[in-house]
Every structure is written in C-alpha cells, then in structure tokens.
Amino acid sequence: MKKIITILFLIVPFVLFSQKRDNVFGFATSNTFTYCSLQDTNFFNKVIDLNPRILRFPGGAVGNYYHFNGHGYGFDFEEIKKFDAGKFLKRSKGLARDAKIKGHNYDYIDDFIKLAKATNSQAILVANMFAENDDIIKMISKIKNNNIEIVGVELGSELTNRYFFQKGYTIEKYISTAKAYAKKIKDLDSTIKIGVVVAPLGKKGNHRHNVWNKRISELDFYDAIIVHSYAKVIKGTAEYGQMINEELEKGSQGEQFEIYKDRMNYFFKNIFPEEINTYTQLFDKPIWITEWNLQMSKITGNTMLQALFVVNYLLDILAKFDNIELTTYHNLGGRDYSGSIFKNYKESVEIHSTYYPLKILSILFESNEDFIISREIIQNEIKVYKVYYQNKLEKIFIINFSENSFNYFITDFNFVKSYHSSNLYDKADIFGKLSLEVVKNKVNMNNINLKPYSFNYIKVK
C-alpha cells in the first residue's frame, strides 16, 4: 500500500562542482527536418520553449552520408552501398522518398540554421568521413556566416560498428582521414574543437574495439572523445541504442517496471560511472556524449520511467562528472515513438513524456551565471539536487522514484512545479501530458508533499 514518508534528514554526503555548462543541454536533430516542419508553429514554439543550448546536425547515421547543398541530406546511394553493410541503405532511401513527397528540394542545413537562430543555440556538426571532400568546411562557413557559434565537429559517428568493418573500414583509414579533416578545420578556425570516435567498452583481448581505442589513445590531434550512451533495462538484444527484440519479465506491468527502475538506478550508480572513469583513464580528454537515452523500446518509450531517466541523467552529469563537456539527447524529433521528444503525427506533431521534465530542467540554463550543484540521496529512492548561485541556494530539483509520496521540509520557497504519474508505465498523451501541476506558497508553508513517481522543481525565495 502506498504511504507518505516524512523526510527528516539526508543520509548520503554530496559532491559539488562549480560550472556553467550550457553544452550539456543539447539535442540531436537526426531526421527532425524530414518529419517535423518548422512551419508547424506548435512544434517550432515548443522547441523554443525547451530552450536548447546546443543542436547537433545532421545527426548520427545521416551525418555519415550527408552532402552539402543537396536535397534533404544529399545522400549518395552508391557511397552508402560502398561503406555500409547494414540497413542504412534502405533507411536512407526511405528518408529521401519522404523528403521528395514533402517537397523538400533544399538542403536541411537551412532548416537547422533557422531553428538554431530561433533558439539562440550553438551548433555541433558531424562530418562525412567517407567522401573526403570539403563539405565540412562549407558547412562551417555557412553556419558561421549566419552568426551561429560552432562548439565542435564530430569526425564521424559510430564508425567502429561492424557494418563499416565488414566493408573493410579500419582504424588506420579513420586516423588518416581524421587528421586531414582536423587540419582543414583548425586552419579555418582554430577555436572549433575536434571530437573523434572511440569504440564501446567491454570487449576482451585484441578485439577490434580495443585496438581502435588503443590507437586513438596514442594520438593527440583532437580535443575530445565521442561516446554514445544508452541504458539497457529490458532483457533482449540491443543494437546501437535500439532494442531489436525484448523479453518481458514475469509479473504485472507494475512489477515489470519496478525491475526496469532498479536496473536503471544500477546504471546510474555503477555502470555509467565506471564507463566514464574507464574512458577518462584511457584517453585523458573531455568527453562528448552526442547520443544518449534510455535504450529505445516501445515498452518504456513515452513513459514516466523514461521521463525520470532523462532528468536523472542530466542532473547526475552536472553534479558528478565535470569531465563530460557536452551532451546531445537523441533525439529532438522524428517519426519514432520511443526516442524522439516530438513525433510526426498525422501531419502534426505528437509530444512525448520527456518534453515537460526537460522543459522544467531548462530553467538551469536560462542564466549566464555559474552555479554549484549538489546531489543527495534519501532512502535509495529519492534524489535531491540543490543549485547554488554565489553560495546562495536558489533551486532544488527532486526525483522521487518511490511509489510513496513524501514530505520535504523547506522554508522560504516560492512554488513547486511537479510532473508525475500514478505508475512508472503510464504513457503521456499526444500533448506530452501525464500530470503537471504548480503549487504556490501562499501561507508560509514549510512542508511540501511531493507525489510518488515525480520530478519536482522548487523555486527557493
């Protein structure tokens, strides 16, 4: 039976970092401009309200084959056949077909520029490493000519995967092209940072991933390493952020999601910190996580569980990992159900459960001030993040993973904004809503009752 827990003290010591890390609040735009129209004022204004600080273009897989000044992504299907042994040829033809149907006879970089300017976002660009031409230089020049700051360039995306290896793509080929691109970019603008692709961890012996990472670690022509991060909470086969097949746990839906929640918290407590620590020891470079999400699945997509995951991920990075320099959530918009915040829905847009929690969290990035953030854990289920500006507490974010509500004692607060639901498996409606409410302090309250399964923002006086 659900009950109310009264919190009297905190039991886990916290850590502090001083920071102004706008680049952590970023979003990838893979497929976004094919399926989400900037003429749709609902979509356009919702993205502006989200307040992204950085946008990624063209995206991951599509970025590997993008050609400047073509229609849409400017795909060269012969190039894709040559370098990709996977399913991207079929996907690219589908994207090109949909772009043609929609009359998109222009380069999607134009839409990207419009969105970046409207949101006052900076840019991170992905280079096509196969074409070996000057497209990335042309992209940089066009973005800069539109007064958009470029934070960095990714030299490819997920080029360690077996689809490229099966076509004969090797680490030595990558290094040769990467060095040449890095020189071109630095010659054009030495302030633009260069990120290189590193391989996933966990392989044994002389696996090609370990060989790749060793070779990259021996070099120093780059500024950061690129990592992709997806938390797997469902049994089954996962591939590049997507569940290919899934095995349901025994028990009710509620019991299944409690298992997923426990695995998710194990990810935050153990798996993710260990991965970041290993990458830091291997490369001693800042880390860019240019794709991250809960492993994409129709079971967990658009649920309260995913909503809590995304804010937990970002707040933990801000509180615990000062070597993670940049992140871009995958993905801003598309036609998928489980990853994108916005989904094309009958020529309009469907909003998913991750939107409102991220919009609440965006308040952190509205100011130009540095802040200090602390993290405290209460009874293993409740995470409290306190934000200080010039040593003054101004904001508190609380994630309640418990099925119980609890009382949080605080004096002098203005209001509490809460996004919550009765169950972790509850899915948002097409407007992105589960339960969203604001409680103002009208009578000098000093006790806030926070709902089960909730993300809460407390504005301190």
Side-chain angles (χ1 to χ4, degrees), residues 31 87 91 158 162-163 228-246 291-301 306 330-331 335-340:
N31 308 342
K87 300 176 181 178
R91 179 182 159 196
E158 296 188 356
R162 71 176 181 273
Y163 298 146
H228 290 173
S229 171
Y230 292 94
K232 184 174 181 289
V233 299
I234 298 176
K235 287 183 178 179
T237 305
E239 193 170 80
Y240 310 117
Q242 180 76 45
M243 293 302 299
I244 305 302
N245 59 71
E246 299 166 332
E291 289 185 20
W292 67 269
N293 206 330
L294 193 61
Q295 195 89 27
M296 287 176 276
S297 158
K298 289 184 178 180
I299 295 175
T300 56
Q306 188 181 28
H330 189 81
N331 188 44
R335 62 175 181 178
D336 63 291
Y337 181 76
S338 56
S340 294

Side-chain angles (χ1 to χ4, degrees), residues 409-428:
F409 290 96
I410 181 173
T411 57
D412 297 328
F413 71 94
N414 288 329
F415 63 84
V416 181
K417 184 176 287 187
S418 179
Y419 186 82
H420 58 89
S421 194
S422 300
N423 306 286
L424 288 171
Y425 55 79
D426 290 342
K427 292 182 181 284

Side-chain angles (χ1 to χ4, degrees), residues 400-440:
N400 182 10
F401 284 106
S402 169
E403 66 175 353
N404 303 306
S405 62
F406 72 99
N407 292 321
Y408 186 79
F409 290 96
I410 181 173
T411 57
D412 297 328
F413 71 94
N414 288 329
F415 63 84
V416 181
K417 184 176 287 187
S418 179
Y419 186 82
H420 58 89
S421 194
S422 300
N423 306 286
L424 288 171
Y425 55 79
D426 290 342
K427 292 182 181 284
D429 62 20
I430 62 170
F431 306 106
K433 295 289 183 68
L434 285 161
S435 295
L436 183 67
E437 62 182 348
V438 177
V439 177
K440 295 183 178 180

Side-chain angles (χ1 to χ4, degrees), residues 10 14-20 364 367 369-376 384-397 408 410 460:
L10 304 173
F14 55 78
V15 293
L16 299 176
F17 289 111
S18 177
Q19 53 209 308
K20 176 68 174 72
L364 260 178
S367 167
E369 294 181 77
D370 287 343
F371 59 82
I372 290 174
I373 188 167
S374 72
R375 187 191 74 148
E376 305 155 303
V384 181
Y385 302 83
K386 296 181 179 179
V387 184
Y388 300 82
Y389 296 83
Q390 298 181 349
N391 297 319
K392 180 182 177 183
L393 177 63
E394 293 190 14
K395 300 177 177 69
I396 301 173
F397 297 95
Y408 186 79
I410 181 173
V460 181

Side-chain angles (χ1 to χ4, degrees), residues 16-251:
L16 299 176
F17 289 111
S18 177
Q19 53 209 308
K20 176 68 174 72
R21 293 162 65 191
D22 277 4
N23 291 344
V24 168
F25 199 64
F27 299 87
T29 64
S30 302
N31 308 342
T32 297
F33 305 114
T34 305
Y35 298 111
C36 299
S37 171
L38 299 190
Q39 304 304 312
D40 182 340
T41 55
N42 182 36
F43 167 70
F44 193 61
N45 291 331
K46 282 285 193 297
V47 178
I48 292 172
D49 288 344
L50 187 59
N51 192 34
R53 299 297 77 217
I54 187 168
L55 293 173
R56 181 188 189 219
F57 181 81
V62 293
N64 283 331
Y65 299 106
Y66 168 83
H67 285 271
F68 182 80
N69 212 28
H71 290 176
Y73 292 111
F75 292 135
D76 177 345
F77 298 125
E78 292 304 314
E79 179 183 70
I80 297 171
K81 286 180 185 177
K82 181 178 178 181
F83 290 102
D84 196 311
K87 300 176 181 178
F88 189 73
L89 181 62
K90 180 180 179 181
R91 179 182 159 196
S92 64
K93 287 184 176 181
L95 285 165
R97 181 185 62 250
D98 290 346
K100 185 176 181 180
I101 290 171
K102 293 172 181 288
H104 295 173
N105 56 357
Y106 59 91
D107 188 335
Y108 282 145
I109 199 170
D110 295 334
D111 277 347
F112 176 79
I113 288 168
K114 182 178 179 180
L115 192 61
K117 292 179 78 168
T119 56
N120 195 29
S121 298
Q122 299 179 79
I124 182 166
L125 305 178
V126 181
N128 177 334
M129 301 296 286
F130 302 127
E132 298 189 46
N133 57 22
D134 287 330
D135 275 2
I136 188 62
I137 301 302
K138 295 173 183 176
M139 292 166 67
I140 291 170
S141 297
K142 182 161 185 171
I143 297 289
K144 286 168 62 69
N145 287 341
N146 280 275
N147 300 313
I148 298 167
E149 183 176 345
I150 299 170
V151 175
V153 172
E154 296 180 62
L155 298 182
S157 177
E158 296 188 356
L159 296 178
T160 65
N161 81 38
R162 71 176 181 273
Y163 298 146
F164 305 116
F165 178 73
Q166 288 170 341
K167 289 287 189 174
Y169 194 74
T170 66
I171 178 59
E172 298 306 327
K173 178 60 178 174
Y174 177 73
I175 289 172
S176 174
T177 309
K179 283 182 174 180
Y181 272 43
K183 184 178 186 308
K184 284 184 180 182
I185 293 164
K186 292 291 188 179
D187 285 347
L188 179 69
D189 186 343
S190 61
T191 67
I192 296 176
K193 293 185 177 181
I194 302 295
V196 297
V197 174
V198 298
L201 302 171
K203 301 297 183 180
K204 295 180 179 179
N206 291 322
H207 188 278
R208 58 187 170 82
H209 285 177
N210 298 332
V211 173
W212 184 291
N213 285 342
K214 184 175 185 301
R215 286 291 289 119
I216 293 294
S217 71
E218 294 167 347
L219 304 170
D220 198 37
F221 67 91
Y222 54 93
D223 302 295
I225 61 167
I226 300 163
V227 173
H228 290 173
S229 171
Y230 292 94
K232 184 174 181 289
V233 299
I234 298 176
K235 287 183 178 179
T237 305
E239 193 170 80
Y240 310 117
Q242 180 76 45
M243 293 302 299
I244 305 302
N245 59 71
E246 299 166 332
E247 301 173 19
L248 292 178
E249 308 291 335
K250 293 181 179 179

Side-chain angles (χ1 to χ4, degrees), residues 318-371:
L318 290 169
K320 296 175 62 181
F321 303 101
D322 59 346
N323 58 329
I324 297 176
E325 191 173 76
L326 176 155
T327 80
T328 50
Y329 175 81
H330 189 81
N331 188 44
L332 183 65
R335 62 175 181 178
D336 63 291
Y337 181 76
S338 56
S340 294
I341 299 170
F342 301 98
K343 177 189 175 185
N344 176 267
Y345 178 73
K346 296 181 179 178
E347 299 308 313
S348 185
V349 68
E350 178 178 297
I351 304 167
H352 289 157
S353 68
T354 48
Y355 177 75
Y356 283 101
L358 287 169
K359 184 175 182 295
I360 292 169
L361 189 59
S362 72
I363 189 72
L364 260 178
F365 305 95
E366 289 183 351
S367 167
N368 289 322
E369 294 181 77
D370 287 343
F371 59 82

